[in-house]
Amino acid sequence: MIHVYGFHTLPLAMMHEVFNSLLGEERKRDEEYVAHHISSQAIAGLSVCFFLLVLIPSPALSLSPDGISLLEIKSSIVSDPLGFLADWNEHDANPCSWNGITCDPHTFRVTLSINGESLCGFATFCPNGSLCDPFQSCPPLLWQNDDMQCSSNGFFSPERNGTVICLRNGSVILASNPYDKHERVPCRLTGTLSPSIRNLSSLEVISLGFNGFSGAIPKEISEIKSLKTIDLRANFFSGHIPTEIGKITNLEVLNLAFNAFEGEIPPELSSFKSLRVFDLSGNLLSGKIPSFIGDFTALESLRLSYNQLDGIIPEEIAHNCGRLQNLHLEGNFLFGRIPFTLGNCTELRSLTFSSNFLSAPIPSELGKLWKLENLDVSRNSLGGDIPPELGNCTKLSLLILTNLIDIESCINRTMVDPVDGYTSKDKGEFNYFTGVVPDSISSLPYLKVFWAPRAGFLADFPSRWGECLNLEVLNLGENSLSGSIPMELSKCKRLIYLD
């Protein structure tokens, strides 16, 4: 039996399994490299992980040089509400007994781990990168694990204001939003990043994500030639991205997402030779997408979402894309066509262009992306027929062609209509396709979510749905379809939402 729910009445508990698998996996891939560099401790992106070469002197000697440098970094932290760093003592011989510090007895490498989530005692973010916030005006999606469930907005950029609420073991907990400087439950480290970090000469990984650091990134960070990873996501860093970072030519991960960086992407970053993860999403960056990104032959994940970038998507971006798995450009002011050369990026698994001003038809060359799992082209000005070649993307599980939700209202909490949940102003969806839903798409074996309301489809309701063993969400509402709902949909045993 197929259960049909209206959009605003769909039980959240029935939705969480759909989006947990779809929206969390690609973020996990981005963390694999960081985990590789922090030895046996698998520390998430919220950790602060430093690998330092420390010679442990005898107790009679003064604090080791790396210990002194760590104390200088501590001095720039203005708030440590839980006293996590209270036992960092200048009278110790070395930092190996300090909170958050472990020393390898054989290599003398030091690991500094300050996990933002651990400090606060609960998860503020769901694994897909969205805030746990049930009060947003976007349609809520549910994620949960053994002891935590969160309301999140899996399709859209995270909220920047408001109280975060999650459930832990059935009890409601109030969490502070890391984007809100007036935390209700202060627990994260706040302060600036000290230029003394230059003295940690064997530092390989710096990951200070999801804390309250602010100010500029010190240009002195470029003096640490051993750095492989800079992960400063979800803080309050501001100003321009330091051009000096381009001097760290062996950098493999640069994640500055969800801060307040402005200006253009510096051309000096073109010197990277081994960059694998490049994430500048959720900032105030402007200008064009630089074509030199096409020279990053090792690039696996490119995320420039939710900035103020304009211009066309450069075709050069696909010149050396043999390893590219994630390309996220949504929420900018990009115009022109989707480059057909992206069909050469055969390792792509996630491709999102939503909320731009892209036009012309979807290029049929995307049908070459046989590993593609997620495709979102909604909220643009695309038209023409849906290319049947997309049916060659046999791994496709999430396909979003149109979306009537006003993302701006999600972020700014503007008034929503109490009946349909949408804002009364223009909903901002200008994609208008012609023709029908190709049978090759409706028959995709792994398709879980097919979202295309008011897409301009004509003719009969699609009748070929294959075995549809995985289909869970189908939205073809507000199209000009005729005929009856085919009995073949009764095979879709997992279908929980039909509009």
Side-chain angles (χ1 to χ4, degrees):
M1 177 180 296
I2 298 175
H3 299 279
V4 181
Y5 296 95
F7 189 76
H8 59 285
T9 62
L10 178 64
L12 295 178
M14 299 180 68
M15 292 285 284
H16 76 275
E17 292 182 358
V18 180
F19 297 97
N20 181 37
S21 60
L22 294 175
L23 302 170
E25 289 302 319
E26 63 195 63
R27 281 288 180 185
K28 294 177 183 177
R29 297 189 189 105
D30 291 354
E31 307 299 333
E32 289 178 357
Y33 175 76
V34 178
H36 173 73
H37 281 273
I38 53 180
S39 186
S40 60
Q41 298 185 20
I43 302 174
L46 311 184
S47 303
V48 179
C49 313
F50 298 101
F51 288 83
L52 316 173
L53 182 62
V54 177
L55 299 178
I56 304 177
S58 65
L61 300 178
S62 59
L63 183 61
S64 64
D66 280 333
I68 294 173
S69 297
L70 288 170
L71 287 180
E72 291 175 349
I73 292 173
K74 176 187 174 182
S75 67
S76 66
I77 296 175
V78 299
S79 178
D80 177 14
L82 303 183
F84 187 77
L85 308 180
D87 67 346
W88 287 26
N89 194 324
E90 62 181 328
H91 301 296
D92 293 335
N94 58 70
C96 297
S97 62
W98 292 355
N99 232 359
I101 300 292
T102 56
C103 299
D104 189 301
H106 304 293
T107 65
F108 302 110
R109 286 185 180 274
V110 169
T111 299
L112 169 59
S113 174
I114 302 177
N115 188 310
E117 284 185 332
S118 297
L119 290 178
C120 296
F122 43 77
T124 306
F125 278 66
C126 295
N128 61 17
S130 299
L131 282 171
C132 310
D133 188 350
F135 295 122
Q136 61 205 353
S137 56
C138 300
L141 311 174
L142 189 68
W143 168 79
Q144 64 182 19
N145 61 16
D146 291 339
D147 66 348
M148 177 76 71
Q149 65 181 29
C150 304
S151 180
S152 68
N153 58 344
F155 288 152
F156 309 114
S157 66
E159 292 269 333
R160 286 182 175 267
N161 299 290
T163 302
V164 178
I165 291 186
C166 296
L167 295 177
R168 166 163 280 179
N169 297 326
S171 300
V172 175
I173 58 175
L174 296 179
S176 56
N177 182 339
Y179 297 120
D180 183 358
K181 295 184 179 180
H182 305 288
E183 293 187 325
R184 298 193 178 202
V185 186
C187 50
R188 293 172 178 79
L189 300 180
T190 61
T192 58
L193 187 56
S194 171
S196 298
I197 198 170
R198 73 191 337 165
N199 298 322
L200 301 174
S201 57
S202 9
L203 190 65
E204 290 186 354
V205 176
I206 175 173
S207 180
L208 289 161
F210 297 85
N211 274 289
F213 289 93
S214 59
I217 299 177
K219 63 182 180 181
E220 289 82 1
I221 199 172
S222 65
E223 299 178 25
I224 312 172
K225 303 304 181 183
S226 58
L227 266 177
K228 301 291 187 183
T229 295
I230 298 176
D231 186 352
L232 302 176
R233 78 184 95 172
N235 279 280
F236 301 102
F237 288 108
S238 58
H240 290 75
I241 297 174
T243 59
E244 289 82 2
I245 290 181
K247 297 178 181 178
I248 313 173
T249 57
N250 293 321
L251 197 67
E252 298 187 10
V253 175
L254 179 60
N255 192 338
L256 305 179
F258 295 102
N259 282 282
F261 294 110
E262 58 186 2
E264 298 186 356
I265 299 174
E268 288 80 2
L269 302 189
S270 62
S271 60
F272 294 143
K273 305 301 182 184
S274 306
L275 199 65
R276 299 177 61 182
V277 176
F278 191 29
D279 192 343
L280 303 179
S281 53
N283 282 285
L284 303 171
L285 298 173
S286 57
K288 316 297 183 185
I289 296 177
S291 59
F292 65 70
I293 292 176
D295 296 329
F296 296 159
T297 58
L299 195 62
E300 297 176 5
S301 182
L302 174 61
R303 299 172 187 270
L304 303 176
S305 310
Y306 299 106
N307 280 287
Q308 299 171 12
L309 300 172
D310 58 18
I312 64 171
I313 301 173
E315 291 189 5
E316 291 87 348
I317 209 170
H319 281 181
N320 292 287
C321 61
R323 298 184 181 181
L324 189 63
Q325 298 180 21
N326 303 310
L327 176 58
H328 288 201
L329 302 177
E330 67 267 31
N332 284 288
F333 300 99
L334 304 173
F335 55 83
R337 297 171 175 264
I338 297 174
F340 70 90
T341 52
L342 289 175
N344 299 326
C345 308
T346 54
E347 292 296 316
L348 272 172
R349 290 169 171 79
S350 182
L351 189 57
T352 60
F353 299 112
S354 61
S355 299
N356 281 287
F357 297 100
L358 300 173
S359 57
I362 299 173
S364 61
E365 286 80 2
L366 296 188
K368 299 177 183 179
L369 306 177
W370 64 278
K371 292 185 179 181
L372 193 65
E373 298 172 6
N374 303 330
L375 176 61
D376 185 353
V377 298
S378 63
R379 302 181 71 81
N380 281 284
S381 297
L382 302 172
D385 293 340
I386 302 299
E389 289 84 356
L390 287 180
N392 297 327
C393 305
T394 55
K395 301 286 183 68
L396 198 62
S397 59
L398 186 148
L399 177 59
I400 306 175
L401 299 178
T402 54
N403 200 333
L404 304 183
I405 303 302
D406 188 342
I407 297 178
E408 182 180 356
S409 70
C410 294
I411 297 175
N412 298 327
R413 298 172 182 273
T414 56
M415 187 63 67
V416 297
D417 187 286
V419 176
D420 64 11
Y422 303 140
T423 58
S424 57
K425 65 177 183 178
D426 190 346
K427 298 179 177 65
E429 177 59 82
F430 297 104
N431 286 350
Y432 199 80
F433 302 103
T434 57
V436 299
V437 178
D439 290 340
S440 60
I441 292 179
S442 60
S443 301
L444 283 167
Y446 295 103
L447 192 62
K448 288 188 177 182
V449 177
F450 185 18
W451 200 266
R454 199 187 298 169
F457 293 132
L458 303 171
D460 291 339
F461 191 92
S463 59
R464 292 187 56 187
W465 293 94
E467 295 299 322
C468 67
L469 297 178
N470 295 289
L471 189 64
E472 300 185 29
V473 175
L474 175 60
N475 187 352
L476 294 175
E478 300 189 47
N479 282 285
S480 299
L481 301 173
S482 58
S484 58
I485 296 177
M487 288 298 297
E488 193 172 5
L489 278 178
S490 62
K491 299 178 183 178
C492 308
K493 303 300 183 182
R494 296 185 178 182
L495 189 61
I496 59 175
Y497 178 80
L498 175 62
D499 188 349

